[in-house]
């Protein structure tokens, strides 16, 4: 005799299909991730998996069944509790969206948390000059252990540049480069021993070639006050503007007036202030 999927033609009995209780998916944290396969090997109506058997022990009709006891079980014996696998470790029914989700009934599926990666020292600004050193340091940690941290510079043409790529396998994770002129993007990644990857947002810099420092001819700013503007171009900065000064009856000497990242200075000439020079402190410090 063949038994069909329906019970029918019998007075006083309800007719209903034999299927998994799909509404129970909504009673499980992150149940929508695997759907009916959270409890069944082949979806709704199929044989139960290891987690499904645990649910069968506690479920009563359509009543809520997820609780602390079920969350603390490790149904598939993979070393992670059902709650850890479903994003609700303490079983309070509140899902932590930051936690990864894995299958609580599959011993080959477990939550993979990527390494925690953060800056310790990032490049000091976004503009550098040819010959400047660019140093970075990050901190990486992971319960499974960190395999390595990868620092990769890519130029404006795209693609990592091998000679500016560093793989650091031991903390402190750090590297220093001197990049040629151009636009550059730094990507920092950390990989743990089970293959989970985390990555910091890319950091972009521009490396410039300094032009020779030149002073322009002074220009009059105001006739009424007889003020003039000294202007210069090029170099790296900061700049130190100096004036000629005679101290008592001694020789003429250069006296610092102002240190600035700007490129001009306004003054009113007098007997001691008619001659100026500019020093590029950025170049002198190299």
């Amino acid at each position: 005799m063949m038994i069909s999927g329906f019970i029918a033609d019998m007075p006083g009995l309800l007719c209903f299909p034999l299927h998994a209780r799909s509404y129970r998916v909504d009673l499980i944290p992150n149940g929508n991730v695997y759907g009916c396969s959270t409890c069944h090997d082949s979806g709704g109506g199929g044989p139960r998996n290891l987690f499904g058997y645990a649910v069968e022990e506690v479920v009563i009709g359509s009543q809520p069944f997820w609780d602390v006891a079920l969350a603390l079980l490790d149904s598939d014996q993979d070393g992670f509790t059902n709650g850890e696998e479903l994003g609700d470790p303490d079983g309070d029914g509140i899902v932590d969206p930051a936690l990864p989700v894995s299958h609580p009934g599959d011993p080959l599926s477990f939550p993979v948390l990527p390494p925690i990666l953060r800056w310790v020292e990032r490049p000091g600004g976004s503009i550098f000059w040819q010959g400047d050193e660019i140093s970075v340091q990050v901190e990486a940690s992971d319960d499974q252990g960190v395999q390595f941290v990868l620092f990769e510079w890519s130029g404006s043409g795209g693609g990592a540049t091998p000679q500016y790529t560093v793989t650091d396998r031991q903390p402190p994770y750090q590297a220093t480069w001197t990049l040629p002129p151009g636009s550059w993007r730094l990507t920092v990644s950390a990989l743990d021993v089970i293959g989970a990857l985390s990555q910091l947002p890319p950091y972009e810099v521009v490396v410039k070639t300094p032009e020779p420092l030149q002073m322009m001819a002074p220009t009059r700013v105001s006739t009424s006050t007889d003020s003039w503007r000294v202007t210069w171009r090029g170099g790296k900065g900061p700049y130190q503007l100096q004036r000629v000064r005679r101290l008592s009856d001694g020789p003429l000497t250069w006296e610092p007036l102002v240190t600035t990242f700007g490129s001009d200075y306004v003054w009113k000439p007098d007997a001691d202030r008619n001659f100026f020079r500019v020093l590029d402190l950025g170049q002198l410090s190299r």
Side-chain angles (χ1 to χ4, degrees):
M1 178 178 66
M2 179 178 295
I3 299 177
S4 69
F6 290 84
I7 300 175
D9 301 327
M10 296 181 65
L13 294 181
L14 295 176
C15 300
F16 57 90
L18 300 177
H19 57 73
R21 307 303 195 270
S22 59
Y23 61 83
R24 289 177 181 157
V25 169
D26 296 329
L27 302 178
I28 300 171
N30 283 309
N32 61 308
V33 174
Y34 296 102
C36 291
S37 295
T38 308
C39 295
H40 298 269
D41 285 338
S42 56
R48 291 181 177 85
N49 55 41
L50 295 170
F51 178 69
Y53 287 125
V55 170
E56 184 182 21
E57 294 291 326
V58 298
V59 70
I60 300 176
S62 60
Q63 298 179 23
F65 56 87
W66 178 258
D67 58 12
V68 175
L70 185 56
L72 294 180
L73 287 178
D74 180 9
S75 296
D76 56 9
Q77 299 296 302
D78 62 359
F80 296 90
T81 67
N82 297 331
E84 289 173 333
E85 299 213 48
L86 291 171
D88 179 18
D90 54 11
D92 63 359
I94 301 175
V95 170
D96 185 345
L99 296 177
V101 178
S102 57
H103 200 301
D106 181 357
L108 298 180
S109 174
F110 41 83
V112 178
L113 285 170
I116 298 173
L117 186 60
R118 69 176 187 87
W119 286 109
V120 175
E121 177 188 355
R122 68 179 70 198
S126 59
I127 304 295
F128 292 86
W129 298 93
Q130 185 177 7
D132 286 349
E133 285 191 344
I134 302 176
S135 298
V136 300
Q137 182 178 337
V138 300
E139 184 179 85
S141 59
D142 189 272
D143 291 340
Q144 309 298 322
V146 176
Q147 282 200 65
F148 58 79
V149 172
L150 182 65
F151 302 91
E152 294 182 292
W153 284 104
S154 55
S156 55
T161 307
Q163 64 265 39
Y164 303 118
T165 296
V166 173
T167 302
D168 197 347
R169 299 183 182 275
Q170 296 291 334
Y173 302 104
Q174 57 190 0
T176 300
W177 303 267
T178 301
L179 299 175
S183 298
W184 295 89
R185 170 179 288 193
L186 174 63
T187 303
V188 183
S189 309
L191 188 73
D192 70 11
V193 297
I194 59 175
L197 178 74
S198 58
Q199 193 172 85
L200 291 173
Y203 199 95
E204 298 185 353
V205 303
V206 174
V207 179
K208 296 183 175 181
T209 301
E211 300 176 0
L213 183 63
Q214 301 180 50
M215 289 194 69
M216 308 291 113
T219 56
R220 187 186 295 273
V221 176
S222 171
T223 304
S224 60
T225 61
D226 193 27
S227 56
W228 293 72
R229 184 188 304 275
V230 176
T231 306
W232 58 92
R233 295 290 182 268
K236 291 175 55 176
Y239 307 95
Q240 185 181 87
L241 183 66
Q242 299 181 345
R243 66 177 178 179
V244 167
R245 190 77 165 173
R246 184 186 300 275
L247 301 177
S248 300
D249 295 329
L252 293 175
T253 185
W254 290 104
E255 178 188 45
L257 270 181
V258 64
T259 299
T260 176
F261 278 94
S263 58
D264 63 357
Y265 179 75
V266 176
W267 97 103
K268 183 178 179 181
D270 60 32
D272 294 325
R273 301 187 186 185
N274 289 333
F275 298 94
F276 293 85
R277 72 177 181 182
V278 176
L279 298 183
D280 184 354
L281 301 183
Q283 295 279 36
L284 291 177
S285 63
R286 290 181 55 188

